[in-house]
Amino acid sequence: MQNGGDAKGEDPGEERIRVGCGGGPTAGLSPPGRRRSPQEPSLYTVKALLILDSLGQRLLAKYYDGTFPTAKEQAAFERSIFSKTRRAGGEIACLEGLTIVYRSSVDLFFYVVGGCQENELMLSAVLACLLDALGHLLRKEVEKRWLLDNMEGTFLVVDEIVDGGVILESDPQQVIQRLSLRAPEPAAYGFVLFDYLTGGSERRDAGNAGGQE
């Protein structure tokens, strides 16, 4: 797989990771499947959104364009970014011509991937919104056990933030508000998410407190 930054004579097979790649504009109308010049803006900011566990295994993955069209290429990319970032100190990397913002939470790694011309602040805003929205719904740090119990709810959160590579929302409170208006069924989205959206946890806590008096 060729590196998108090899125009200056670098070895095409060389994988690189560095802080501070990108910074280009992100608003416009270029479709996700077409290569664009550094000056050409695009609404399709996000190429992929990933959640991996502490061993690098995929828990959730959304690919929004044809950069990694096959399952084999996606798996190889996920192994590559995990091996390069699991011990790295930064939160922004440029790997294989892509800008990657990432963060860990307990036993999970969250990644938002964009082109190397994308604005790192936009990608970071998506990542922060995802973590904050999931944290609000759980009311504690996000960890693998909860995520596995609430995968459909997690997909809902992701879809409220990014759709087809286009950033829809970067305010976690707005994401939570929109989900609350959808009134999900408890069987579909798990007890934690459903209780949060319907206020069931507060009712049970109040009942328990009354019974102890």
Side-chain angles (χ1 to χ4, degrees):
M1 187 177 297
Q2 291 189 347
N3 192 308
D6 292 328
K8 296 184 179 181
E10 298 178 30
D11 181 0
E14 179 186 6
E15 290 186 348
R16 294 175 292 114
I17 179 170
R18 66 176 182 266
V19 174
C21 176
T26 56
L29 294 173
S30 297
R34 180 166 65 89
R35 185 181 297 274
R36 58 192 174 88
S37 67
Q39 291 77 28
E40 184 180 351
S42 174
L43 281 174
Y44 299 93
T45 304
V46 180
K47 290 181 174 292
L49 192 153
L50 310 169
I51 304 177
L52 308 180
D53 67 12
S54 58
L55 299 177
Q57 299 298 309
R58 176 197 292 188
L59 299 180
L60 181 150
K62 286 269 195 173
Y63 287 87
Y64 297 107
D65 68 2
T67 303
F68 302 99
T70 67
K72 183 178 180 180
E73 289 177 292
Q74 293 173 8
F77 174 66
E78 291 162 20
R79 289 193 299 269
S80 178
I81 62 171
F82 180 75
S83 67
K84 294 294 191 298
T85 61
R86 61 178 176 173
R87 301 185 186 280
E91 293 185 350
I92 302 173
C94 188
L95 177 66
E96 300 185 13
L98 300 171
T99 301
I100 304 167
V101 297
Y102 60 97
R103 196 182 303 175
S104 62
S105 175
V106 189
D107 51 359
L108 297 173
F109 287 81
F110 294 80
Y111 300 88
V112 178
V113 182
C116 209
Q117 301 299 329
E118 297 300 349
N119 190 319
E120 297 156 3
L121 295 178
M122 295 287 288
L123 300 177
S124 295
V126 171
L127 180 61
C129 182
L130 174 62
L131 284 168
D132 289 346
L134 292 176
H136 279 300
L137 294 175
L138 181 59
R139 301 176 190 174
K140 59 181 70 175
E141 285 190 291
V142 182
E143 57 184 310
K144 181 178 178 179
R145 179 180 59 180
W146 175 85
L147 195 75
L148 291 175
D149 289 340
N150 296 271
M151 285 303 296
E152 292 193 45
T154 303
F155 273 103
L156 274 181
V157 171
V158 170
D159 290 342
E160 288 290 340
I161 299 172
V162 179
D163 181 25
V166 179
I167 299 174
L168 301 179
E169 186 58 70
S170 59
D171 183 347
Q173 294 298 334
Q174 290 296 321
V175 172
I176 294 170
Q177 183 177 2
R178 290 177 184 176
L179 288 176
S180 67
L181 295 176
R182 299 175 73 159
E185 296 295 331
Y189 304 122
F191 294 109
V192 175
L193 180 59
F194 181 73
D195 285 345
Y196 181 88
L197 298 180
T198 60
S201 294
E202 287 87 344
R203 289 194 292 271
R204 282 202 303 272
D205 292 343
N208 292 336
Q212 294 174 357
E213 292 179 355

